[in-house]
Amino acid sequence: MNMDEKLHFADLSDLLLDWYAAAARELPWRIGPGARAKGVQPDPYRVWLAEIMLQQTTVPHATRYYLAFTERWPTVQDLAAAADEDVMAAWAGLGYYARARNLLKCAREVIAQGAWPDTVDGLCQLPGIGPYTAGAVAALAFGRQAAAVDGNVDRVFARLMALKGEWKTEKERLKGVVEALVPADRPAEFAEALMDLGATICTPKAPNCLICPLRELCAARAEGDPERYPIKPKKTAKPMRLGHVYVLTGQNRTVLTEQRPDKGLLGGMMGLPTSDWASEYPQPKFPSGANFESIGEVRHVFTHFALTLQVWRGEVDEPQLLTPLKKAADALPSVFAKALKLAVSSDR
Ligand code: ADE
């Protein structure tokens, strides 16, 4: 941070922390400002678990999963001792299943080490923990003077500083500024306050500048069009992939499922049988002698491509090797859960 920035942002952390003391969101994983002031200590396991989930999804969606995980596995010891397939099934619907595998690896590594590392560098060595999560856990759980810079913080500072240059370079610069602004005595609240500001006021669309505690410091607001920031390069369209998915139901509300290979997309998760996924529809190859009918399509957007699967439904009499529908609906990743829902809800 240069001298001009230092002067310009001299009051930022006080303004932000005063606002946070009054406006903090109540979140199940959070030690709020009141409790923190009374000395309530955070549990690193819960802080970490919430951060991993929140990288993946919104606060309301993550909340359901967070509560289910912490009820079933209240401590990092419990999670480390869990069966892989139970954790994978409990993660179903959150997406990006490599995270769930890393979640388990990380819990087991912490148990092997005997304790959580309590520095950014130490945390970065653990599976699935990158610079953002390490900064967040170091600040929130261990009171380290670390910054947690994610997309929300990028947006807040891109606006505060009206950053117009090449986005990758600007992001680096902004990170340096945020790190220099973290107050030594209240790093956790500083990080949480920025999260809340980004989520509730400095929103991607229609930011509510009128009630923003930082409005007087905001260069984008002074210019008159904060929504134009951050200025990022245009995203290239995701490639499309096409395939077939087979919903083979048996008697007594059961469905044929399979365990997906450990490596690759949705690795280690429960799946429905599918064809390969390609740029054009492959020939369908049905998994048994049953008569299959085409009942529609489901779509799902993954990180690197968008998938459309044609859904086929068939029925067999034997109940062997089939999973109860309820269990499948709970454990299947979203794309398969959508196909299952279509197949069991559409008229026969
Ligand atoms: N986004 C990322 N981490 C978060 C947290 N701990 N609380 C609220 N929103 C978040």
Side-chain angles (χ1 to χ4, degrees), residues 25 27 29-30 47 50-51 54-55 59 132 140 150 152 192 195-196:
R25 286 178 295 172
L27 300 170
W29 47 83
R30 177 175 282 179
V47 171
E51 289 308 328
L54 286 160
Q55 281 171 50
V59 165
Y132 165 77
L140 268 50
D150 66 357
N152 290 303
E192 289 168 338
M195 290 169 188
D196 285 14

Side-chain angles (χ1 to χ4, degrees), residues 62-115:
T63 297
R64 277 203 296 124
Y65 284 84
Y66 174 84
L67 294 174
F69 266 66
T70 50
E71 167 141 358
R72 188 160 174 195
W73 300 295
T75 67
V76 69
Q77 284 82 0
D78 297 316
L79 184 65
D84 291 37
E85 58 272 23
D86 288 347
V87 175
M88 298 308 285
W91 189 268
L94 272 176
Y96 198 23
Y97 297 90
R99 279 209 216 288
R101 285 197 295 282
N102 275 331
L103 193 80
L104 258 176
K105 270 199 213 157
C106 182
R108 291 173 182 160
E109 178 64 27
V110 168
I111 296 305
Q113 291 185 16

Side-chain angles (χ1 to χ4, degrees), residues 260-274:
R260 294 185 56 84
D262 277 343
K263 289 265 162 337
L265 198 81
L266 311 176
M269 297 296 294
M270 184 188 282
L272 296 173
T274 74

Side-chain angles (χ1 to χ4, degrees), residues 236-242 278-279 299-308:
T236 51
K238 293 190 185 194
M240 294 280 285
R241 299 233 206 123
L242 301 167
S279 54
R299 285 165 191 283
H300 194 77
V301 181
F302 293 99
T303 318
H304 296 297
F305 63 95
L307 177 67
T308 301

Side-chain angles (χ1 to χ4, degrees), residues 173-210:
R173 187 168 144 224
L174 152 183
K175 187 157 185 272
V177 170
V178 182
E179 280 167 352
L181 290 171
V182 178
D185 54 343
R186 293 165 75 191
E189 287 156 293
F190 183 81
E192 289 168 338
L194 281 179
M195 290 169 188
D196 285 14
L197 191 78
T200 64
I201 292 183
C202 197
T203 45
K205 295 259 157 21
N208 196 347
C209 302
L210 284 177

Side-chain angles (χ1 to χ4, degrees), residues 22 45 322:
Y45 165 64
L322 302 177

Side-chain angles (χ1 to χ4, degrees), residues 149-170:
V149 184
D150 66 357
N152 290 303
V153 177
D154 281 344
R155 181 176 62 255
V156 170
F157 276 83
R159 288 175 180 167
L160 280 167
M161 300 167 71
L163 297 175
K164 295 177 182 61
E166 195 252 336
W167 178 236
K168 242 178 113 176
T169 316
E170 298 289 42

